[in-house]
Amino acid sequence: MTHSETEITSGLIYDLLQEQHPDLAGLTIREVAGGWGNQMWRLGDELAVRMPRTENAPDLQRKECRWLPVLAPRLPLPVPNPVRIGEPSARFPKPWAIMTWVPGEALDYTSISRGDHAADTLAGFLRALHVEAPADAPISEDRGDHPKKCTDGFDHFFHAVVPDDLADDVRAVWDDAVTAPEWEGPPLWVHGDLHPANVVVSDGTLSGVIDFGAMFAGDPAWDLAAAWVILPAGAASRFFDVYAHADKATIRRARGLAALKSLFLMLMGQNGDRGLPGGKPTWGPAGRAALDRVLQSWYSSPHWP
């Protein structure tokens, strides 16, 4: 994770707005928590300024600005939509963007209390998103593969964070995903990075999905892992019933990918507790809770699906 060397302050945001979008410069500017590749600033009540701070963030942001206007109109939950594009300048050498603000609180800072509603909402959202992507849709370079091609990453996370008493069970979930058949359908639109920091909650249920920088065309199992990574315990079965388009092999891959994502969240939480760059202290508890849900599903229904 290579951070921008330019210090991003409210004064810099104001200056950039004055130069490029002066009609918005009078709105209140305030920093908000969160963000991996982009530093986020609220702009008034309805907008957000996203300032790239990692090396690959501008490319991901351009991808969002290209495709979100295509996807957003048919999605049943609010998602960020580009409103203005900021050009590189002497003050800030990277492109930046002004997006619509998605209200709610990120799930890594709160919880879902209406599990059935959230399961139905997430299933409806992914059914709307998971349609065949066009030929020029982006392909991911770092995700989207079958679990069997992700064993190096899994092993790294596994050895870094898995408690000894859970090791055999976590490995069993992963091995089952590795042996599952591959996705044989057409490449579908996939968010690609559904985890607690990338969904927002209001009134105890999901109310928005954010950060589409990882979106790609491919295997929907990468999103269906959210049944365990995002939803509370016991909600996965309802989710898959409502989603209704996942076969057994896809659910097996999704469950393994949920374990992989859970371990990644735990590692980022561990790094945050240690004060390491890129660490996210709130992600650790979220990741461990997700891993527990994966294993609970495995224990309670060893032959499901």
Side-chain angles (χ1 to χ4, degrees):
M1 185 175 184
T2 304
H3 285 276
S4 169
E5 295 180 357
T6 304
E7 183 180 5
I8 304 172
T9 65
S10 58
L12 173 64
I13 304 293
Y14 177 78
D15 289 343
L16 292 173
L17 291 172
Q18 284 278 38
E19 288 180 354
Q20 300 188 31
H21 304 284
D23 58 313
L24 301 178
L27 297 175
T28 303
I29 302 168
R30 56 193 186 279
E31 187 175 7
V32 294
W36 177 275
N38 296 280
Q39 188 168 338
M40 186 89 73
W41 296 76
R42 288 288 300 273
L43 182 61
D45 293 328
E46 299 181 355
L47 301 175
V49 180
R50 299 182 72 200
M51 304 293 292
R53 59 181 178 182
T54 61
E55 185 176 353
N56 65 343
D59 289 339
L60 301 182
Q61 194 174 98
R62 278 190 284 267
K63 179 167 62 172
E64 289 182 288
C65 291
R66 164 68 178 89
W67 290 107
L68 278 173
V70 176
L71 298 174
R74 59 179 174 77
L75 297 177
L77 285 176
V79 300
N81 233 331
V83 175
R84 305 281 181 86
I85 303 298
E87 300 297 335
S89 66
R91 289 185 178 275
F92 190 75
K94 299 178 181 179
W96 48 282
I98 300 173
M99 316 282 282
T100 55
W101 174 256
V102 178
E105 188 173 10
L107 180 56
D108 58 325
Y109 285 92
T110 185
S111 61
I112 292 172
S113 58
R114 299 163 61 195
D116 287 350
H117 188 280
D120 294 351
T121 300
L122 181 62
F125 177 85
L126 291 180
R127 284 189 62 164
L129 176 62
H130 291 168
V131 299
E132 187 171 351
D136 59 341
I139 304 297
S140 178
E141 296 181 356
D142 61 352
R143 65 193 77 204
D145 285 330
H146 188 281
K148 65 186 178 184
K149 298 181 180 179
C150 304
T151 53
D152 288 346
F154 176 84
D155 287 343
H156 172 69
F157 301 149
F158 180 90
H159 292 299
V161 298
V162 172
D164 290 342
D165 60 325
L166 298 181
D168 289 345
D169 300 308
V170 174
R171 179 65 68 177
V173 173
W174 181 251
D175 288 345
D176 183 64
V178 167
T179 59
E182 297 192 22
W183 172 249
E184 295 181 349
L188 305 184
W189 274 118
V190 177
H191 178 282
D193 198 22
L194 288 176
H195 62 71
N198 286 342
V199 297
V200 296
V201 172
S202 302
D203 299 323
T205 190
L206 293 177
S207 59
V209 178
I210 59 176
D211 198 346
F212 281 72
M215 76 173 93
F216 63 88
D219 181 357
W222 281 80
D223 281 353
L224 299 178
W228 296 277
V229 176
I230 289 174
L231 296 176
S237 294
R238 182 183 180 107
F239 165 83
F240 283 110
D241 286 344
V242 175
Y243 181 81
H245 293 317
D247 59 20
K248 291 183 178 181
T250 300
I251 296 176
R252 290 169 61 194
R253 295 193 307 276
R255 185 166 48 198
L257 291 168
L260 174 72
K261 290 169 179 276
S262 299
L263 301 185
F264 170 75
L265 292 170
M266 291 169 64
L267 181 58
M268 291 301 99
Q270 179 177 283
N271 289 347
D273 293 340
R274 295 174 177 175
L276 299 176
K280 299 285 186 179
T282 59
W283 291 16
R288 179 54 197 266
L291 184 64
D292 288 344
R293 292 190 291 268
V294 171
L295 296 180
Q296 181 182 33
S297 167
W298 182 257
Y299 294 145
S300 61
S301 303
H303 303 296
W304 181 80

